[in-house]
Amino acid sequence: MRLGPTLKLLTLQVLLLIVALAMWQAAVEIGWIDPFFVSEPTAVIERLREVLVDKELYVDVAFTMQNVLVGFALSAVTGVASACIMYKFPLLQKVVDPYILALYSTPRIAIAPLFIIWFGIGPASKIALVFSLCYFIMLLNTYAGLTNVDQRLISQVKMMGASDWFIFRRVSLPASVPWLLSGTRVGLGFALIGAVVGELIISEHGLGLRISRASGLFDTTGVFTYLIIVAALGVILDQAVRLLEKSLSSWGSATAK
């Protein structure tokens, strides 16, 4: 029976996961690794079954996702707007460029405690951390997309009498959609990392708090369980962006034409 390309790929991915879990379980059974330090697949699966029926888990998931989505949305809006302003005013871009690179190179995780001092232990500090991680990703990706538009296409549109606003709206912006979507995929991953790390430091709710508690109790099974949930959320976010990419890329190519 012949499998379609998508089904074949999915089958290979599932087989890879099964082989990895089997090797992990076998290493524990043989005694090559100590389950106290790395747990074992059967224990993690059993813990997953327990926590997935716990209503409090979904409260923490909602708290984490709220921080992820709000922080990323703010960074996307301000990052894209900043890139458009820098593209419109090249002198401004040259003036602020070294400061942007300096701030981008600063490890925001290291200054996370400052966000907690400034904004408290509630959602605001986590949103601020997510924003600080994603803003520069959206800014730099969008600006790169705007500046890498085919100049011959812009010249041809100008020769037909198009205004600068028309060129920006119908040529430059649509052509930068792939760059914007690429930044979105990377940025959402960093947003999830930022939210969980912020909750690891101090929080009232969230998956990061659950990981911190499990780690403090040397509960490696619990740590792996919540890490799997975080990873699953990351996959869901990535797939959502892929669906958005399919629709927006067609719009971008059609508009650019």
Side-chain angles (χ1 to χ4, degrees):
M1 183 176 179
R2 298 180 63 182
L3 299 177
T6 303
L7 184 57
K8 183 178 180 180
L9 177 61
L10 180 61
T11 302
L12 291 174
Q13 291 172 338
V14 172
L15 286 175
L16 177 61
L17 176 62
I18 292 174
V19 170
L21 292 176
M23 292 176 62
W24 180 7
Q25 185 68 42
V28 172
E29 297 291 344
I30 295 172
W32 288 351
I33 57 178
D34 188 344
F36 176 80
F37 295 103
V38 295
S39 187
E40 55 184 318
T42 53
V44 173
I45 292 172
E46 177 62 24
R47 184 68 64 84
L48 268 173
R49 187 186 66 81
E50 295 174 0
V51 301
L52 287 177
V53 297
D54 179 14
K55 294 181 180 179
E56 291 298 319
L57 171 68
Y58 299 98
V59 174
D60 289 328
V61 169
F63 181 84
T64 298
M65 291 305 296
Q66 169 191 293
N67 297 332
V68 170
L69 297 177
V70 173
F72 178 77
L74 291 173
S75 68
V77 171
T78 55
V80 171
S82 300
C84 293
I85 293 172
M86 289 167 53
Y87 176 72
K88 180 66 177 176
F89 302 101
L91 178 59
L92 174 63
Q93 185 274 329
K94 293 179 181 179
V95 171
V96 302
D97 184 62
Y99 300 102
I100 291 175
L101 293 178
L103 291 172
Y104 181 61
S105 303
T106 303
R108 265 81 70 196
I109 301 300
I111 61 175
L114 287 177
F115 292 131
I116 294 172
I117 294 173
W118 295 338
F119 303 108
I121 66 174
S125 58
K126 285 70 179 175
I127 291 172
L129 180 57
V130 170
F131 176 87
S132 69
L133 284 168
C134 301
Y135 169 76
F136 296 102
I137 294 174
M138 299 306 296
L139 166 64
L140 296 175
N141 270 64
T142 304
Y143 184 77
L146 291 171
T147 54
N148 278 277
V149 178
D150 190 346
Q151 294 300 312
R152 292 174 299 179
L153 177 60
I154 294 179
S155 298
Q156 291 173 357
V157 177
K158 281 185 175 180
M159 290 176 60
M160 291 186 288
S163 64
D164 290 341
W165 169 243
F166 180 90
I167 293 173
F168 174 78
R169 182 170 55 90
R170 300 298 299 271
V171 179
S172 299
L173 194 58
S176 65
V177 165
W179 294 82
L180 181 59
L181 290 172
S182 176
T184 300
R185 291 186 64 187
V186 175
L188 279 173
F190 275 90
L192 186 58
I193 292 171
V196 172
V197 168
E199 294 162 2
L200 275 168
I201 298 173
I202 187 170
S203 183
E204 300 170 318
H205 301 285
L207 293 173
L209 176 61
R210 285 181 174 251
I211 294 172
S212 178
R213 286 176 175 172
S215 178
L217 296 172
F218 299 99
D219 179 12
T220 52
T221 299
V223 172
F224 275 104
T225 298
Y226 296 121
L227 286 176
I228 289 173
I229 294 173
V230 171
L233 292 175
V235 172
I236 292 171
L237 289 172
D238 184 72
Q239 291 302 314
V241 176
R242 285 178 182 270
L243 292 175
L244 181 65
E245 185 175 9
K246 289 181 180 179
S247 59
L248 287 186
S249 60
S250 60
W251 168 79
S253 59
T255 308
K257 292 177 182 178

